[in-house]
Amino acid sequence: MKSHQVFTNQKINIEQIQNINVNNEHVTKLIAFANQDDNLSILNWDLDDPSTWTGITWNENGNVESIDLSFENLSGSLDLSNFDSLKKLDVTGNNFT
């Protein structure tokens, strides 16, 4: 599995930064979602740096552990297959299909 190496937060409260490799499949699926409709301009993510992805929390193994994209007025579809480490998902207040 190919991976991106980033500095990212392990906790939502942004207290500790660790160098980890993030899951390339998760990155690819989140980029595909961000590129739908106006999502990227709403999210303001730097697609080359997953640590900037507000609402996404990576665990110590580089897998997405939490997604909180609530009330962002996002649209489209988000493929979460193989997000086995996902513990929290909040997409309330969006227009997902």
Side-chain angles (χ1 to χ4, degrees):
M1 169 177 50
K2 190 175 178 183
S3 63
H4 297 273
Q5 189 170 12
V6 299
F7 291 94
T8 188
N9 301 322
Q10 296 303 306
K11 297 181 180 179
I12 295 173
N13 62 9
I14 308 174
E15 290 185 1
Q16 216 174 347
I17 297 177
Q18 297 180 348
N19 185 13
I20 65 167
N21 289 316
V22 294
N23 183 312
N24 190 57
E25 181 180 7
H26 292 186
V27 168
T28 300
K29 289 180 178 184
L30 290 167
I31 287 174
F33 170 71
N35 281 323
Q36 295 175 49
D37 303 321
D38 291 327
N39 293 346
L40 187 56
S41 63
I42 293 168
L43 293 167
N44 198 31
W45 288 352
D46 174 354
L47 296 183
D48 294 323
D49 185 1
S51 70
T52 67
W53 297 0
T54 304
I56 307 299
T57 304
W58 303 92
N59 68 17
E60 65 277 358
N61 295 318
N63 297 310
V64 172
E65 184 172 271
S66 172
I67 298 175
D68 184 353
L69 300 174
S70 57
F71 300 100
E72 294 287 345
N73 200 30
L74 301 167
S75 59
S77 60
L78 176 58
D79 180 2
L80 297 176
S81 58
N82 297 322
F83 279 63
D84 299 331
S85 298
L86 189 63
K87 295 179 182 177
K88 176 187 176 193
L89 174 64
D90 188 350
V91 293
T92 309
N94 293 291
N95 300 308
F96 285 29
T97 56

